[in-house]
């Protein structure tokens, strides 16, 4: 009996040791895969010619920072960014990306602007100083130098308009009251309806907070975040791959109508809130590579990369442009064609734009804000 117990202990010990070794090996493997994915992304961005040769160190540092970002569970928006401090990306304790404001102290006389959106508003491919919110802040100070202005970037990667509406409500519940709200959307709302987007974009985000959401037990958290568990899930995904279908087959007319209805209703909700709180809202329909007329060779490659997605967005923008409710709205602004006259490369993929692209968008927004300010004065 004693011998059997000893043998059992030895087997348990060897099994545990093998699991530890496997965990370490898989850790090196996944880290290498992550580094390779990061390198491929950097190569694609540099291939776009959206950045000069002197920007290569910045691009490498940006995606090094970007892939270190982590998320935590949020009961209202599902997830939010955790605090992070890097050379090109800085996230504060509230989960907001740093905006470069000349007026850093907010007082009762400060004109405050909140910017909501997904990764394009967050600023993928841009330094803190070159995000849309930072550039809007800079341009507003140039146009209205005596006015104290402070902008907050509430953009979060992969957020949709519904999450942004929920986030706005949470911000207001904390007693904050902005003067202007900016919503910048139109891309994630569509892609969230496709399983490939959920698998490749949202699942990696969810992985970082899923165990915490389910339980506060440290053992469960460790098991869920282990490399072995990751490996098992990857094998399961390989054995049961998501069926590759054209985007315009999966995202059919019925789903597009659902997207438009949801977008329209979110605008109605936030309009009702703005009437109660007395702030101004701008709802911008963002551009994508599918709305740019004079595409470069690189942009054409991005345009044709996802079969059927061009048809989806052409139908979406056509229907939104013809929607009588949106067209009669004072705060729905379609800037999807704002790059029509640009022959140079703007897009680094099918939706994210270069820092130069951000400067064009920020000029449009800044001009609209100045017009709004002058109208109310």
């Amino acid at each position: 009996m004693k011998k059997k117990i000893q043998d059992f202990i030895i087997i348990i010990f060897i099994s545990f040791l093998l699991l530890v070794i496997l965990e370490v090996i898989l850790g090196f493997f996944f880290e290498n895969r992550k580094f390779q994915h990061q390198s491929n992304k950097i190569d694609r961005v540099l291939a776009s010619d959206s950045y000069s040769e002197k920007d290569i160190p910045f691009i490498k540092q940006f995606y090094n920072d970007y892939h270190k970002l982590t998320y935590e569970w949020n009961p209202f928006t599902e997830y939010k960014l955790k605090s992070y401090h890097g050379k090109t990306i800085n996230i504060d304790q509230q989960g907001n990306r740093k905006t470069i404001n000349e007026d850093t102290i907010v007082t009762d006389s400060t004109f405050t602007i909140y910017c909501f959106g997904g990764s394009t508003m967050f600023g993928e491919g841009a330094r803190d100083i070159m995000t849309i919110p930072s550039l809007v802040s800079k341009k507003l100070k140039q146009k209205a130098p005596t006015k104290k202005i402070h902008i907050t970037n509430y953009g979060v990667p992969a957020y949709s308009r519904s999450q942004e509406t929920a986030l706005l409500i949470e911000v207001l519940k904390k007693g904050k009251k902005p003067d202007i709200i900016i919503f910048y959307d139109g891309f994630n709302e569509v892609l969230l309806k496709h399983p490939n987007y959920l698998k490749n974009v949202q699942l990696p985000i969810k992985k970082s907070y899923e165990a915490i959401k389910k339980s506060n037990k440290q053992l469960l958290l460790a098991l869920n975040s282990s490399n072995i568990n990751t490996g098992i899930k990857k094998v399961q995904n390989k054995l049961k791959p998501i069926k590759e279908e054209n985007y315009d087959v999966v995202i059919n007319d019925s789903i597009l109508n659902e997207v438009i209805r949801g977008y329209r209703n979110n605008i109605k909700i936030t309009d009702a809130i703005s009437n109660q709180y007395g702030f101004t809202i701008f709802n911008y329909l963002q551009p994508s590579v599918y709305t740019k007329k004079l595409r470069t060779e690189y942009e054409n490659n991005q345009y044709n990369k996802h079969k059927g997605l061009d048809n989806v967005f052409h139908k979406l923008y056509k229907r939104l442009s013809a929607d009588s409710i949106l067209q009669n709205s004072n705060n729905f602004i379609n800037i999807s064609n704002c790059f029509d006259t640009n022959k140079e490369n703007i897009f680094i993929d099918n939706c994210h734009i270069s820092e130069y692209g951000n400067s064009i968008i920020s000029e449009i927004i800044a001009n609209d804000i100045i017009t709004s300010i002058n109208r109310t004065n």
Side-chain angles (χ1 to χ4, degrees):
M1 183 68 181
K2 187 176 180 181
K3 180 71 166 57
K4 288 183 178 180
I5 294 175
Q6 288 177 339
D7 291 343
F8 178 75
I9 293 173
I10 291 173
I11 291 172
I12 293 296
F13 176 76
I14 293 174
S15 299
F16 177 76
L17 186 61
L18 289 174
L19 285 173
V20 171
I21 293 172
L22 179 60
E23 176 72 14
V24 173
I25 292 173
L26 286 174
F28 281 115
F29 174 75
F30 291 136
E31 191 62 33
N32 182 65
R33 286 286 298 273
K34 182 179 177 182
F35 176 78
Q36 189 59 49
H37 173 75
Q38 182 177 328
S39 298
N40 292 340
K41 178 70 175 181
I42 292 170
D43 290 341
R44 286 197 299 271
V45 172
L46 293 176
S48 71
D49 291 329
S50 298
Y51 299 90
S52 64
E53 195 171 316
K54 66 178 182 170
D55 291 323
I56 292 177
F58 143 64
I59 290 296
K60 290 182 177 179
Q61 182 60 53
F62 174 85
Y63 283 103
N64 180 54
D65 286 334
Y66 192 74
H67 285 91
K68 288 180 180 178
L69 297 178
T70 55
Y71 301 80
E72 61 184 349
W73 167 249
N74 183 280
F76 304 101
T77 61
E78 192 171 10
Y79 62 88
K80 69 175 185 176
L81 283 159
K82 294 180 72 172
S83 176
Y84 176 80
H85 299 287
K87 293 182 178 179
T88 62
I89 300 175
N90 289 277
I91 312 294
D92 64 21
Q93 293 296 323
Q94 286 71 47
N96 304 323
R97 187 167 183 188
K98 182 179 181 180
T99 299
I100 309 302
N101 291 292
E102 185 175 319
D103 300 310
T104 57
I105 300 175
V106 179
T107 64
D108 291 340
S109 62
T110 304
F111 194 84
T112 55
I113 302 169
Y114 295 168
C115 297
F116 294 85
S119 52
T120 48
M121 180 60 80
F122 168 84
E124 178 169 340
R127 291 159 277 203
D128 288 337
I129 198 171
M130 294 297 288
T131 63
I132 292 173
S134 287
L135 289 171
V136 170
S137 181
K138 178 181 178 180
K139 292 175 186 295
L140 287 177
K141 286 302 291 184
Q142 293 171 346
K143 298 172 187 295
T146 61
K147 198 168 190 66
K148 291 185 177 180
I149 296 169
H150 190 276
I151 297 181
T152 303
N153 186 351
Y154 284 102
V156 180
Y159 260 26
S160 68
R161 184 59 163 80
S162 294
Q163 288 169 296
E164 295 157 25
T165 300
L167 179 57
L168 170 61
I169 293 171
E170 282 308 297
V171 170
L172 295 176
K173 281 164 62 177
K174 294 177 181 177
K176 297 181 180 180
K177 184 184 175 183
D179 294 287
I180 284 181
I181 297 286
I182 303 294
F183 287 106
Y184 184 76
D185 301 288
F187 200 84
N188 290 343
E189 289 68 27
V190 174
L191 290 195
L192 281 169
K193 299 297 181 180
H194 198 284
N196 283 352
Y197 184 78
L198 297 175
K199 174 187 174 184
N200 298 324
V201 178
Q202 280 216 327
L203 284 183
I205 291 175
K206 290 182 178 181
K207 180 185 172 185
S208 66
Y209 66 77
E210 200 168 39
I212 301 173
K213 178 183 71 175
K214 291 179 178 177
S215 174
N216 58 4
K217 295 179 180 178
Q218 293 300 312
L219 177 59
L220 180 61
L221 176 60
L223 290 174
N224 273 274
S225 59
S226 68
N227 294 316
I228 293 175
N229 186 55
T230 301
I232 292 172
K233 288 182 178 179
K234 285 184 179 292
V235 171
Q236 289 174 335
N237 288 334
K238 289 291 184 182
L239 293 175
K240 294 181 179 180
I242 294 177
K243 187 179 179 181
E244 295 287 343
E245 288 188 285
N246 288 2
Y247 276 83
D248 54 355
V249 172
V250 178
I251 306 175
N252 54 36
D253 287 351
S254 176
I255 292 178
L256 268 184
N257 288 335
E258 181 186 329
V259 169
I260 294 170
R261 184 168 56 251
Y263 181 75
R264 187 197 300 131
N265 287 338
N266 271 305
I267 289 180
K268 287 182 179 179
I269 292 169
T270 50
D271 278 352
I273 295 172
S274 71
N275 290 334
Q276 181 66 33
Y277 278 81
F279 52 72
T280 302
I281 293 182
F282 293 100
N283 296 289
Y284 289 98
L285 182 62
Q286 70 183 97
S288 72
V289 75
Y290 307 107
T291 62
K292 188 170 185 277
K293 289 184 178 179
L294 305 176
R295 293 184 296 273
T296 64
E297 181 181 355
Y298 175 86
E299 288 173 328
N300 271 325
N301 290 335
Q302 299 303 309
Y303 183 96
N304 297 313
K305 191 173 182 180
H306 303 286
K307 197 171 183 180
L309 194 54
D310 55 335
N311 293 331
V312 171
F313 276 99
H314 289 160
K315 286 190 289 187
L316 172 72
Y317 285 113
K318 184 177 181 180
R319 292 184 188 183
L320 287 174
S321 299
D323 188 287
S324 58
I325 296 176
L326 291 176
Q327 293 308 314
N328 291 327
S329 170
N330 294 324
N331 56 27
F332 172 71
I333 307 168
N334 186 348
I335 59 170
S336 61
N337 296 319
C338 65
F339 298 132
D340 274 1
T341 60
N342 293 93
K343 296 181 180 180
E344 63 270 47
N345 202 91
I346 297 290
F347 290 90
I348 59 178
D349 53 31
N350 58 0
C351 66
H352 299 109
I353 57 180
S354 63
E355 293 182 334
Y356 172 62
N358 283 347
S359 68
I360 295 174
I361 296 293
S362 63
E363 181 69 21
I364 295 171
I365 295 175
N367 286 334
D368 288 342
I369 292 174
I370 288 296
T371 301
S372 176
I373 293 174
N374 292 338
R375 191 185 300 123
T376 55
N377 286 344

